[in-house]
Amino acid sequence: MNSPRATVTTHGPLPDRPYDVAVVGAGVVGCAIARALAHRPKLRVALVEAQDDVGQGTSKANTAILHTGFDAVPGSLEARLVREGSCQLAAYAAESGIPVEEVGALLVAWDEDQLAALPRLAQKAERNEYRDTRLLDPAELYEREPHLGPGALGALHVPGESVICPWTTTLAYATQAVRGGVDLHLNSPVQDASHDGSTHRLRTRRGTLRARHLVNAAGLHADTLDRRFGHHDFTVTPRRGQLIVYDRFARALVRHILLPVPTALGKGVLVAPTVHGNVLLGPTAEDLGDKRATNSTADGLATLREKGRRILPELVEEEITAVYAGLRAATEHDDYRITAHPSQAYITVGGIRSTGLTASLAIADHVTGLLAENGLDLGPVRQPPPVRMPDLGESAPRPCEQPQLVAADPEYGTLVCHCERVSRGEIRDALASTIPPRTLDGLRRRTRARAGRCQGYHCGAAVRALFEEARG
């Protein structure tokens, strides 16, 4: 049941009455911050998003790994928040129905230099308070991963690494925030921002929104907004990561997340199972100048296939379900750029890279603390009702496979998307949810409809008809 205070707007003028806090950016971090502030019923909070749905940027196109933080820079803010956030998100996922699989990771050494680096990575993990790593010799490595390409010299086993559904996580945060009283304003790109000493004014194409405190969680555009307030602490360079999604038939080829020994550009090309039963190959790491360049390229995909052939030779012969590309908010720094500016009642949450999903709840707690230190009276704490999201994971039964559910509501037994076993009931529920999808892609992220082997070839017309019927 939606809270009577719950508000999601997509068009029309923004409210004239000022908010206590405005959070710019409804990615996984911005939604987590909004959710944390929804615990404070005294506050009037706005979550402002440029696009037509939550999680439309980096949050929807990543490798979907729940990290342990074993290889973060020891002593950094990122290391602490990833370590704390990993435990928090694992517990939240279990409570909220977000699928997680603790498959563990193997950092595979393919040459003597990489092999020599593994003990140092184990020591780094210890410094990051992760003590469960173990060195594997080739025999044990191939016993664990029999389809691994020839020539591996050993590996570092990190059993705590997991895979998670990134779309459901972001949506769960946002749903809980809205039900807790946060106003979500979509289609509201911030075109200009100013502060007059007491009030922030965000000019959007839907009008001006006012707030006493401002949190900049704008992701790829966090540096642009930061400069509006005279700060030049970092520059975001969009780092494109292209990925290939292999069909479920490939899932039996891999048991762990297979990681390369990391470099300065990131964790490199990996092979990973997904909670949806697919296998990922990627990402690339291409520093670009265009913050909208989410296209895949022939060269990028060829590079992935070449690297994948060495890691898991049989994988590249499997059927490809989809390809996609995301942009990570890389900066010139090796840590998050979370900075409070008390005189402006303003907090920057920038440089949140691929670990942002894992650290999201801890980042939200950290930012809430900074707001309090900067003079915001948070008021009493109220625990919002928990949310229970549809479990899109392959390890859980879909509604059509639950006889009692189908008996109570036959719509759950009427399949629309056969590849992903998505029923009319699930599509109906998504279209009537607290934050309904505005596009077919948004519906796919909420239900998996059109995300399977045929990519909507067989079910596309039926899914579109249901979508358009619900939208009038």
Side-chain angles (χ1 to χ4, degrees):
M1 183 69 66
N2 291 4
S3 162
R5 293 177 60 201
T7 301
V8 179
T9 72
T10 59
H11 60 277
L14 295 173
D16 182 58
R17 178 184 163 200
Y19 288 91
D20 295 304
V21 185
V23 180
V24 176
V28 69
V29 171
C31 289
I33 295 168
R35 172 189 171 272
L37 293 172
H39 287 62
R40 309 287 181 161
K42 175 182 176 181
L43 299 179
R44 188 165 188 256
V45 180
L47 178 58
V48 183
E49 169 55 38
Q51 301 194 62
D52 62 4
D53 200 358
V54 300
Q56 281 280 60
T58 302
S59 300
K60 76 173 182 181
N62 53 59
T63 52
I65 294 175
L66 180 55
H67 297 282
T68 59
F70 77 96
D71 60 345
V73 177
S76 65
L77 179 63
E78 179 180 16
R80 176 172 70 83
L81 296 181
V82 170
R83 183 169 62 248
E84 295 172 359
S86 179
C87 297
Q88 290 177 273
L89 182 50
Y92 182 81
E95 174 188 282
S96 305
I98 300 167
V100 174
E101 289 186 40
E102 192 172 305
V103 293
L106 296 171
L107 278 82
V108 181
W110 297 96
D111 60 39
E112 293 292 343
D113 288 342
Q114 293 176 7
L115 187 64
L118 296 183
R120 295 194 296 271
L121 285 168
Q123 293 168 3
K124 189 177 189 181
E126 288 265 355
R127 293 168 63 194
N128 282 317
E129 300 182 25
Y130 186 80
R131 300 178 175 87
D132 294 334
T133 63
R134 191 165 67 89
L135 294 169
L136 306 182
D137 62 24
E140 188 171 1
L141 171 59
Y142 280 98
E143 182 180 354
R144 287 179 170 273
E145 289 290 351
H147 298 280
L148 194 68
L153 303 181
L156 183 68
H157 184 212
V158 188
E161 296 279 298
S162 305
V163 290
I164 188 170
C165 179
W167 311 313
T168 308
T169 304
T170 305
L171 186 61
Y173 294 164
T175 298
Q176 208 166 17
V178 169
R179 290 181 181 177
V182 172
D183 289 346
L184 171 61
H185 299 301
L186 301 169
N187 296 321
S188 302
V190 175
Q191 299 165 329
D192 198 7
S194 61
H195 182 246
D196 64 7
S198 62
T199 303
H200 288 278
R201 285 177 169 78
L202 304 177
R203 184 172 63 82
T204 81
R205 68 184 182 198
R206 294 179 52 197
T208 298
L209 183 141
R210 294 179 294 147
R212 292 194 299 115
H213 291 258
L214 178 64
V215 177
N216 171 6
L220 291 166
H221 302 280
D223 58 339
T224 302
L225 184 55
D226 218 35
R227 281 156 175 66
R228 298 286 187 188
F229 298 100
H231 306 296
H232 298 266
D233 184 40
F234 63 95
T235 297
V236 172
T237 299
R239 181 168 293 162
R240 181 168 60 191
Q242 302 183 50
L243 295 107
I244 299 175
V245 183
Y246 285 90
D247 190 84
R248 284 194 174 93
F249 288 130
R251 180 61 182 83
L253 295 177
V254 61
R255 301 172 182 175
H256 304 74
I257 303 165
L258 301 179
L259 298 171
V261 177
T263 69
L265 280 178
K267 293 180 170 61
V269 173
L270 58 83
V271 173
T274 75
V275 294
H276 308 114
N278 302 103
V279 177
L280 289 182
L281 172 63
T284 57
E286 311 156 57
D287 286 349
L288 307 174
D290 185 353
K291 294 182 178 181
R292 299 168 298 174
T294 56
N295 56 301
S296 298
T297 66
D299 288 345
L301 299 179
T303 296
L304 290 181
R305 287 175 59 83
E306 178 185 350
K307 292 182 180 294
R309 184 171 283 108
R310 182 180 191 187
I311 301 167
L312 211 64
E314 296 170 69
L315 179 65
V316 296
E317 305 305 323
E318 293 289 334
E319 293 291 330
I320 293 174
T321 296
V323 299
Y324 66 92
L327 298 175
R328 308 191 286 280
T331 73
E332 65 273 38
H333 304 282
D334 59 3
D335 199 358
Y336 295 163
R337 311 309 295 171
I338 302 179
T339 307
H341 304 281
S343 64
Q344 296 173 310
Y346 168 64
I347 296 174
T348 306
V349 187
I352 311 298
R353 298 164 297 185
S354 58
T355 55
L357 171 61
T358 300
S360 52
L361 291 174
I363 292 172
D365 288 344
H366 182 66
V367 169
T368 302
L370 291 176
L371 284 167
E373 291 174 13
N374 286 357
L376 176 64
D377 180 5
L378 297 175
V381 177
R382 174 198 61 194
Q383 292 297 326
V387 295
R388 190 70 188 176
M389 307 301 292
D391 190 333
L392 303 182
E394 185 67 9
S395 62
R398 298 305 299 264
C400 67
E401 299 169 320
Q402 302 177 50
Q404 291 180 323
L405 192 59
V406 174
D409 187 344
E411 291 280 88
Y412 291 120
T414 305
L415 289 186
V416 178
C417 172
H418 287 260
C419 294
E420 294 293 320
R421 295 162 292 161
V422 183
S423 66
R424 285 179 60 98
E426 292 168 88
I427 292 174
R428 175 202 63 203
D429 292 349
L431 292 168
S433 62
T434 301
I435 307 173
R438 266 75 193 177
T439 64
L440 289 172
D441 283 344
L443 180 60
R444 175 168 54 190
R445 290 191 293 275
R446 287 162 172 79
T447 64
R448 301 278 301 157
R450 298 169 53 250
R453 185 169 299 129
C454 81
Q455 289 289 289
Y457 181 83
H458 293 290
C459 67
V463 172
R464 178 178 289 277
L466 291 171
F467 177 78
E468 292 179 350
E469 177 185 349
R471 291 179 60 81

